[in-house]
Amino acid sequence: MSKLVKRVAALVAATAVWSLAPQAHAQAWPAKPVTWVVPFAAGGPTDAMARDIADKVGKQLGQQVIIENIGGAGGTIGAGKVAKAAADGYTFLVGHMGYMGAGPSLYKKLTYDPVKDFDAVFRFPDTPLVLLVPKSSPFKTAEELIAAAKKAPGKINFGNAGVGSTSHLIAALFESKAGIDVTPVPYKGAAPAMNDLIAGQVDAMFDQSNTALPQVAGGRVNAIALTSLQPMPQQYPNVPPLAAGTLPGFEAATWYGLYAPKGTPKDVLAKLHAAYLKALGDAQWTKKMADQGIQLLPEAQYAPGAFAAHTAAEVDKWRKVAADANIQID
Ligand code: MLT
């Protein structure tokens, strides 16, 4: 038994604490397919991660988990819909650090509160990002791109998955750390942005390293830098971390997880959480994720309650970041 499988088995036992809630609802649930809303276009990183996890969790539950894509406004449209959905255990939101962490600091008129309107169910593994350019790009390194952006502020444009998406946030962080000015070009998800990057319609883009991998390996785009602190020799040989070049200490990864509308029965949440932990006990699956560069989390992050605490801490963190940088979208 691998170390992770053993740790997950211990956590499954720990979940019993959460499931002390009344069992009547959980026995009947799920009596029909469950929907997870992905608030981006199909085919992007959030969609791919959600489909993979939904498949494994659905098998544990003995019921289908359907993915519904509701894209737009950096994930905030889909998140707002789930916040108002019936809290009956059949609609959930796949959330990430953009609209569920930074969202409240960026959008003045957000229609939901990530902490007050949702129950955080469990956190997915994290994914670092990769800086990509079209095949025809003159930039072979991040340093070349930074030098060109310094000479012509605003001229280089960066595709992203929508205002406040992680591809947008990380590009903004990159801009601020590098002391450059680039022009963001928002799409309804990373998948349509990637199509335009391949076609050379945009100059660059940060994308999740796992979903970008087939595009890079297939020779459709070039990877020039990583946002992980460490190199990723298995997935991206010869691609340096930004931290190894002119941006020491630069580190970023996207966090994701599953949220329920506030008030969803506690026994449903406990059953769902236990199904996820059981799925994570599949060593072949976790190895496959690790092979793609997906970062499995320290065991404490899988415990009941840990994801709610993480979400609240991230909302606070981004409030400080946005206030310091004076960022607001509407
Ligand atoms: C993001 O940049 O926020 C995600 O990559 C969006 C997506 O999954 O399409």
Side-chain angles (χ1 to χ4, degrees):
M1 215 198 262
S2 78
K3 252 184 174 170
L4 181 72
V5 174
K6 271 196 219 148
R7 287 202 303 259
V8 165
L11 278 166
V12 172
T15 316
V17 177
W18 214 11
S19 54
L20 288 176
Q23 293 301 302
H25 194 286
Q27 273 156 22
W29 182 89
K32 59 178 183 179
V34 173
T35 298
W36 290 9
V37 170
V38 168
F40 293 104
T46 315
D47 183 71
M49 176 81 93
R51 281 177 199 273
D52 193 21
I53 295 176
D55 177 56
K56 300 292 183 297
V57 168
K59 285 196 176 111
Q60 293 295 335
L61 294 172
Q63 191 58 267
Q64 203 189 352
V65 178
I66 296 166
I67 299 296
E68 186 183 345
N69 299 90
I70 305 178
T76 59
I77 293 175
K81 286 206 167 143
V82 177
K84 287 174 188 57
D88 59 0
Y90 289 96
T91 306
F92 294 85
L93 171 73
V94 176
H96 79 26
M97 76 177 196
Y99 47 101
M100 295 302 275
S105 328
L106 300 178
Y107 288 88
K108 209 164 45 189
K109 296 184 199 128
L110 207 61
T111 60
Y112 61 90
D113 182 314
V115 175
K116 290 195 188 126
D117 296 337
F118 292 92
D119 284 313
V121 192
F122 54 76
R123 185 167 160 194
F124 298 176
D126 290 355
T127 53
L129 293 92
V130 58
L131 176 55
L132 303 168
V133 294
K135 286 306 280 184
S136 55
S137 173
F139 310 127
K140 303 290 175 230
T141 63
E143 284 69 27
E144 286 176 11
L145 187 152
I146 292 169
K150 281 191 173 158
K151 274 193 204 138
K155 188 163 177 286
I156 295 176
N157 57 42
F158 268 60
N160 67 51
V163 172
S165 63
T166 57
S167 35
H168 181 209
L169 294 173
I170 303 311
L173 189 66
F174 171 71
E175 251 185 299
S176 125
K177 299 268 182 215
I180 56 173
D181 185 10
V182 302
T183 301
V185 182
Y187 292 80
K188 280 197 173 177
M194 174 64 83
N195 289 341
D196 269 11
L197 184 79
I198 293 170
Q201 300 293 323
V202 287
D203 300 316
M205 172 183 171
F206 279 96
D207 194 20
Q208 309 302 317
S209 54
N210 55 322
T211 39
L213 202 51
Q215 306 295 356
V216 174
R220 288 179 284 280
V221 290
N222 289 339
I224 59 170
L226 300 167
T227 69
S228 54
L229 216 43
Q230 301 301 329
M232 298 173 69
Q234 190 183 337
Q235 299 80 14
Y236 290 96
N238 310 320
V239 179
L242 285 167
T246 48
L247 302 179
F250 191 104
E251 187 182 15
T254 300
W255 57 261
Y256 303 89
L258 192 72
Y259 294 87
K262 196 76 171 182
T264 300
K266 292 273 178 285
D267 47 2
V268 166
L269 301 183
K271 205 168 170 183
L272 197 47
H273 187 259
Y276 176 57
L277 292 184
K278 279 202 189 123
L280 278 178
D282 176 348
Q284 247 182 326
W285 181 43
T286 52
K287 180 179 181 313
K288 201 175 138 214
M289 287 199 272
D291 285 348
Q292 290 168 359
I294 293 172
Q295 297 170 338
L296 294 154
L297 302 171
E299 65 184 285
Q301 295 297 339
Y302 294 118
F307 189 38
H310 174 78
T311 305
E314 282 283 303
V315 169
D316 278 353
K317 179 188 102 180
W318 283 103
R319 273 197 211 290
K320 286 185 199 97
V321 173
D324 288 352
N326 199 19
I327 312 171
Q328 189 138 63
I329 287 164
D330 60 358

